[in-house]
Amino acid sequence: MEARSLPEALKLIKEQHGWSQNRLARELGISQSWVSDAMRGKKDTSTAKAIKLLARVGWELRIAPKSEVDPVKRRDFVAAAAAVVFVPSPKSSPYQDAEYVRVLADRLAGNRYELGGVPLAPSALDHVRKAGRVIGDSRDRRLLMAASVLADQAALVLYDAGRLTVAAHVGTTALSLSRRAVDFQGQANAYDTLSRISGYRGDHARGVAYARKGLRLPDLPAGQRAFLNMRLGRSLAAIPGQGNASRTAFDRARSTDGLSPLGEAAMIGDVGIGLGLLREYREAEALLDEAAELIGRWSPLFQAQYLGRQIQTALRASQPSHAAARMFALAGVAPLVTSSRLDKRISEILGQSAAWHNVPEMRDARAQLSSVSRQDLPTSTGQRPVRTRT
């Protein structure tokens, strides 16, 4: 099986796997419109890009000088008139390619920031399963490291999709792969993710344990230590009597310089969430406000989550007017993402705000937020809102 042009190659790949055009685009990591134009010969692309894209689906480009019958590897090509041939790669799976696996991980992360985890969960699990079948007991360190990153990002997707049990299992897989690769940074990422999942499940003691295991790893960049300290502080903040230890961990996290702009915005917001758990509402409110404003340029998902936390903090501090203003902002962001965690938070906000439903701005804000929610609008029970764990 071989093709003499990129459109022909894409058609053969599509037929070989029985994929739709949309599925082919997902596997290549590009838009469906790009695939459509390329298959109709309306998309010019460089040889380097064609090589990279086709490697993701197990094909490679060979260049055969016209004077030869047998194709030769592109590294043997002499600049002369030649025929371009696209053929299936001898590799059994693109998941054997560490670079390809890294691309998948990066794509999962970027799409999660923009879309939320729910629409990505099936493909995330599919990638992890395929990579696991290929890797087996491999000792290829680069591949193990790449697969660990992929599993870690898949765990975060599943966590955001509300599939917490399988998210924890995939997170543990990421940890195992990074241990096999003797990759301390990969282990730190996995411990951070497992701490996050444990905290969301309400198992704060386990969240503390995972964060501390990560902090004991050697040779970690300062940024990773900062986020592990933040994760430690978040877990400690939810445990009675651990307020001072939590604040110390937050101070260590915030004292780290050199974070990326996205990392700095996330750190501000996550520390703000922790301070809200410690009932330091004024400081928490200021940090969450700053984080929601900063992070919107990178992640609608994170922006929505920080707005939601900000609203809950204002409600706990009995500031319905401020909460209402942020509810309007959340209603503008929420339709951009599909996240089980966000759906749950909006439901909590609608319930917690019901006690102020007679306040005009709150009534309007609740109606607006409810209009973009999958939940029915709760009515007041005549009781003050109950403090809920976040």
Side-chain angles (χ1 to χ4, degrees):
M1 181 187 297
E2 66 179 38
R4 295 284 171 174
S5 67
L6 181 59
E8 186 181 355
L10 294 173
K11 181 180 178 182
L12 287 175
I13 293 165
K14 184 171 173 284
E15 293 174 352
Q16 178 188 22
H17 295 283
W19 289 341
S20 66
Q21 195 175 93
N22 191 49
R23 173 68 184 275
L24 175 59
R26 291 202 307 269
E27 295 295 330
L28 292 172
I30 53 179
S31 69
Q32 189 272 334
S33 62
W34 190 99
V35 171
S36 178
D37 288 345
M39 291 183 73
R40 290 181 293 161
K42 295 184 177 181
K43 177 68 68 175
D44 292 328
T45 189
S46 67
T47 299
K49 183 173 182 178
I51 291 169
K52 184 175 181 180
L53 288 176
L54 294 177
R56 296 175 182 175
V57 289
W59 278 54
E60 66 180 25
L61 180 149
R62 293 181 181 177
I63 302 176
K66 290 181 178 179
S67 61
E68 297 184 16
V69 176
D70 297 326
V72 295
K73 296 287 186 178
R74 60 180 180 274
R75 63 175 176 270
D76 298 326
F77 171 66
V78 178
V84 176
V85 183
F86 297 90
V87 297
S89 170
K91 289 185 176 182
S92 61
S93 169
Y95 292 88
Q96 291 176 328
D97 183 344
E99 181 180 353
Y100 170 70
V101 175
R102 285 274 187 176
V103 168
L104 289 178
D106 290 345
R107 190 173 69 186
L108 276 181
N111 287 343
R112 178 174 64 90
Y113 291 157
E114 185 174 352
L115 304 173
V118 171
L120 306 176
S123 62
L125 266 178
D126 187 51
H127 288 319
V128 171
R129 287 168 180 155
K130 287 178 178 176
R133 286 196 295 267
V134 168
I135 291 169
D137 57 358
S138 171
R139 297 183 181 181
D140 183 335
R141 186 168 185 264
R142 288 183 65 249
L143 183 57
L144 290 169
M145 291 171 66
S148 174
V149 176
L150 176 62
D152 186 60
Q153 290 300 329
L156 291 170
V157 164
L158 293 162
Y159 155 73
D160 192 63
R163 301 176 64 175
L164 300 182
T165 299
V166 68
H169 176 73
V170 174
T172 301
T173 298
L175 179 60
S176 175
L177 289 166
S178 60
R179 283 173 171 168
R180 285 168 58 186
V182 196
D183 175 17
F184 296 128
Q185 292 185 37
Q187 292 174 50
N189 285 335
Y191 279 129
D192 184 295
T193 296
L194 289 168
S195 178
R196 183 188 310 205
I197 295 169
S198 297
Y200 192 73
R201 297 174 86 174
D203 191 349
H204 304 295
R206 181 167 293 187
V208 168
Y210 279 134
R212 284 176 172 162
K213 286 180 179 179
L215 287 166
R216 287 197 289 267
L217 291 168
D219 304 323
L220 294 182
Q224 274 195 306
R225 290 198 175 278
F227 275 95
L228 284 165
N229 269 307
M230 177 275 294
R231 198 62 60 196
L232 175 62
R234 286 273 303 269
S235 295
L236 287 169
I239 299 175
Q242 295 297 317
N244 290 337
S246 173
R247 189 62 197 243
T248 297
F250 287 144
D251 290 343
R252 288 177 182 150
R254 290 297 311 279
S255 66
T256 302
D257 296 323
L259 296 178
S260 69
L262 172 60
E264 180 64 27
M267 178 65 74
I268 291 169
D270 280 312
V271 170
I273 292 169
L275 293 177
L277 295 176
L278 294 176
R279 300 186 181 183
E280 299 181 19
Y281 296 132
R282 181 171 296 181
E283 189 175 359
E285 171 68 24
L287 291 177
L288 286 165
D289 191 46
E290 182 180 1
E293 181 177 352
L294 288 174
I295 212 159
R297 72 189 72 173
W298 295 290
S299 175
L301 173 65
F302 282 20
Q303 184 180 37
Q305 289 289 359
Y306 292 147
L307 284 169
R309 296 283 194 168
Q310 190 178 17
I311 293 163
Q312 290 181 309
T313 299
L315 291 173
R316 292 189 184 95
S318 297
Q319 298 175 341
S321 295
H322 188 67
R326 307 316 287 169
M327 287 164 71
F328 281 112
L330 179 57
V333 179
L336 302 178
V337 298
T338 309
S339 163
S340 174
R341 290 190 304 134
L342 181 59
D343 290 345
K344 180 181 178 183
R345 195 160 313 285
I346 289 175
S347 178
E348 291 174 350
I349 289 168
L350 292 174
Q352 291 162 3
S353 61
W356 289 284
H357 77 286
N358 288 325
V359 177
E361 64 245 68
M362 178 59 75
R363 182 173 59 249
D364 294 341
R366 294 180 76 241
Q368 185 78 357
L369 188 57
S370 179
S371 72
V372 300
S373 168
R374 295 177 176 83
Q375 312 294 327
D376 293 330
L377 181 63
T379 57
S380 174
T381 61
Q383 298 176 345
R384 299 299 292 173
V386 177
R387 298 186 187 276
T388 61
R389 185 179 64 237
T390 58

